[in-house]
Amino acid sequence: MVKVLFVCLGNICRSPSAEGVFRDMVEQKGLSAQITTDSAGTGDWHVGNPPDPRAQKAALDRGVDISDLRARQIRAKDFIEFDYVLAMDRSNYAKLQQICPPGYEDRLYMFLSFYPDSPEEEVPDPYFGGADGFDYVLDLIEKASEGLVQDIKTGYLGM
Ligand code: 4NP
C-alpha cells in the first residue's frame, strides 16, 4: 500500500481539495486497493472541521465530493506512516522540514513538483480571496495529481 498525505496550513482549503481530487483519480484508475490518501494542516485552528464551503462547492462543481473530510494537524509520526508528504507551499514545506524525524526527509515534496510545466511553484492560498481562487487551485491540483499517480505507478507499483 502506498500512502499519500497532502499538507497545507489550515487543512480546510488546499489539502482537502487535493486529497479529494487525487482520491477520485485513484478510484477512476482502479488503484484504490494500492493507494490510500489523507490530508493534514500545519496549523490547528480548524481541527475537526469540514472543508471550507467554497472549497466544497468548487470541487463539487467538478464532480468531486469532499464533504466527508475533516481537518487534523500534522504529527511527526506521519513521516513514518506516509510514503509521500506533499506540501502545498514553501511555508508548509519549511514547517514540515522542522518536524520531520531524521532519516525521513526523502518523503517530503512540494506537491507541484509533480506538475513539471506548472506556472506556479506553490499552490496559492485561496482562503482570503474569492471563488475564482478555489477554481485555480483545482486546476493546479488536477495536473499535479496526474503526475503524482504516474510517479507512484512507476516508482512503487512497477506499472
Ligand atoms: P488552507 O487555507 O491552508 O488551504 O486550508 C487556509 C485556511 C485557513 C487559514 C489559512 C489558510 N486560516 O488562517 O485560518
Side-chain angles (χ1 to χ4, degrees):
M1 189 66 93
V2 181
K3 302 182 106 183
V4 178
L5 180 67
F6 299 92
V7 183
C8 62
L9 177 58
N11 194 208
I12 55 167
C13 297
R14 292 164 293 174
S15 60
S17 300
E19 180 184 357
V21 166
F22 183 74
R23 177 176 67 178
D24 268 24
M25 196 175 284
V26 164
E27 260 172 45
Q28 282 159 20
K29 292 178 188 288
L31 296 171
S32 296
Q34 286 111 309
I35 302 173
T36 66
T37 58
D38 195 4
S39 64
T42 59
D44 66 357
W45 311 285
H46 302 283
V47 167
N49 291 348
D52 185 289
R54 297 167 295 172
Q56 290 196 45
K57 178 175 188 313
L60 202 54
D61 284 349
R62 299 186 187 208
V64 178
D65 185 352
I66 59 171
S67 62
D68 62 305
L69 302 179
R70 295 294 176 270
R72 73 169 179 89
Q73 191 173 25
I74 186 84
R75 306 165 290 216
K77 71 174 186 189
D78 285 322
F79 278 95
I80 297 163
E81 184 180 345
F82 289 90
D83 301 288
Y84 289 82
V85 178
L86 301 154
M88 294 296 135
D89 65 29
R90 280 189 289 267
S91 167
N92 309 148
Y93 188 94
K95 183 79 191 174
L96 289 165
Q97 277 182 315
Q98 285 172 19
I99 66 164
C100 179
Y104 291 89
E105 296 83 358
D106 63 344
R107 300 183 170 197
L108 176 59
Y109 305 84
M110 287 290 281
F111 180 43
L112 291 187
S113 69
F114 294 97
Y115 175 9
D117 297 322
S118 176
E120 314 274 357
E121 190 199 340
E122 310 180 286
V123 181
D125 187 345
Y127 187 65
F128 294 105
D132 55 338
F134 286 82
D135 232 34
Y136 184 53
V137 161
L138 287 172
D139 290 342
L140 297 170
I141 285 171
E142 284 176 359
K143 297 281 199 182
S145 293
E146 293 277 3
L148 178 59
V149 170
Q150 201 51 50
D151 195 77
I152 293 171
K153 284 170 80 170
T154 54
Y156 284 84
L157 305 180
M159 299 167 84

